[in-house]
């Protein structure tokens, strides 16, 4: 059962997230022209809006809370797989016993019918449990995706009070943005801040 997709894939698919136009909530503020920004070689990158991006793949690999919860989901998934496999093996074993008795002629027609009905009922119970466990797992995963999404947005809002970005984009190798200038990468700042907030929350 591969229920665990990349937990922030929803962010990567968004492509471009416009988080702020100047400072959040300060719509009355007159629009200020930005200075020209240049890379390390002195080449002009852009003028006007101040832009940064967060590499979602790197965030997933280095955000401590995400890694902790991802490991918990993986352990939980293995437990579900093991439980379902145990039930399936038990049904298969009982089926083989019934089959051997039928082949040996030691099973009456009534016993054969009863045995088959019980096996069919257990198989239905197994499928129902598979569906229920899978649905609960996916629901919890979706709730976690939202939590991470909310955590990221909350931290970026706090981060941008001082940094004053006009746009902060979401970047992923499998996302809509095909290239992002490394000089605009603010991922490490975001990871550092979110990890610090997570450590504080644990205390």
């Amino acid at each position: 059962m591969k229920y665990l997709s990349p937990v922030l894939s929803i962010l990567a698919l968004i492509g471009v997230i416009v988080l702020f136009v100047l400072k959040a909530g300060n719509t009355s503020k007159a629009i200020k022209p930005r200075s020209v920004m240049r890379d390390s070689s002195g080449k002009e990158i852009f003028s006007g809006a101040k832009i940064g991006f967060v590499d979602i793949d790197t965030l997933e690999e280095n955000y401590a809370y995400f890694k902790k919860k991802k490991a918990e989901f993986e352990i939980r998934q293995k437990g579900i797989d093991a439980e379902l496999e145990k039930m399936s093996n038990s049904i298969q074993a009982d089926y083989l016993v019934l089959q051997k008795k039928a082949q040996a002629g030691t099973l009456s027609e009534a016993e054969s019918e009863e045995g088959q009905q019980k096996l069919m009922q257990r198989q239905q119970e197994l499928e129902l449990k598979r569906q229920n466990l899978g649905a609960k797992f996916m629901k919890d995963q979706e709730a976690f995706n939202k939590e991470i999404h909310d955590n990221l947005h909350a931290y970026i809002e706090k981060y941008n009070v001082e940094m004053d970005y006009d746009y902060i984009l979401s970047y992923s190798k499998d996302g809509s943005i095909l290239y992002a200038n490394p000089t605009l990468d603010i991922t490490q700042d975001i990871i550092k801040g979110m990890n610090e907030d997570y450590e504080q929350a644990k205390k």
Side-chain angles (χ1 to χ4, degrees):
M1 286 170 39
K2 299 295 180 184
Y3 293 109
L4 190 63
S5 56
V7 173
L8 286 178
S9 62
I10 186 171
L11 289 176
L13 291 174
I14 291 173
V16 177
I17 303 175
V18 180
L19 294 179
F20 300 96
V21 177
L22 298 177
K23 288 187 178 178
N26 196 4
T27 54
S28 62
K29 182 178 177 182
I31 298 176
K32 300 183 300 181
R34 296 289 187 183
S35 300
V36 173
M37 295 189 69
R38 302 179 184 277
D39 62 19
S40 56
S41 67
K43 179 182 176 182
E44 181 178 331
I45 303 170
F46 58 80
S47 59
K50 184 177 178 182
I51 299 174
F53 73 86
V54 177
D55 186 318
I56 298 302
D57 300 321
T58 302
L59 181 70
E60 288 181 359
E61 292 170 3
N62 295 278
Y63 179 27
Y65 180 58
F66 176 87
K67 292 195 297 181
K68 173 180 175 289
K69 294 296 290 184
K70 181 182 177 183
E72 289 175 2
F73 272 112
E74 288 172 349
I75 291 170
R76 181 175 163 188
Q77 180 176 311
K78 288 178 181 177
I80 291 172
D81 290 343
E83 182 179 357
L84 294 175
E85 185 178 5
K86 183 179 178 181
M87 289 178 67
S88 179
N89 290 341
S90 175
I91 293 171
Q92 181 67 19
D94 288 350
Y95 169 75
L96 291 175
V97 169
L98 191 68
Q99 189 179 49
K100 285 179 181 179
K101 285 182 178 180
Q103 289 171 348
T106 60
L107 199 65
S108 69
E109 187 175 340
E111 288 173 331
S112 177
E113 242 180 72
E114 183 183 359
Q116 288 180 41
Q117 286 177 355
K118 285 182 178 179
L119 288 172
M120 286 177 64
Q121 183 180 349
R122 288 172 63 191
Q123 185 65 35
Q124 289 170 355
E125 290 171 355
L126 171 62
E127 291 307 316
L128 182 61
K129 187 159 194 173
R130 191 191 306 276
Q131 291 173 17
N132 289 341
L133 289 174
K136 178 68 165 62
F137 188 90
M138 291 182 71
K139 182 179 178 182
D140 291 346
Q141 185 183 334
E142 287 170 2
F144 174 60
N145 287 346
K146 184 179 184 304
E147 182 185 6
I148 294 297
H149 182 273
D150 292 347
N151 287 355
L152 176 59
H153 276 258
Y155 181 76
I156 286 179
E157 185 173 353
K158 181 172 69 172
Y159 173 82
N160 205 51
V161 169
E162 181 179 347
M163 300 308 295
D164 200 27
Y165 281 91
D166 294 305
Y167 302 95
I168 297 179
L169 314 180
S170 164
Y171 174 78
S172 172
K173 289 179 182 177
D174 298 323
S176 302
I177 300 175
L178 300 179
Y179 173 76
N181 191 320
T183 60
L184 307 179
D185 191 348
I186 61 171
T187 309
Q188 294 305 322
D189 286 348
I190 300 301
I191 290 170
K192 181 175 181 291
M194 291 182 74
N195 279 336
E196 287 174 354
D197 283 359
Y198 172 56
E199 290 301 320
Q200 285 295 323
K202 289 198 303 183
K203 293 179 181 178

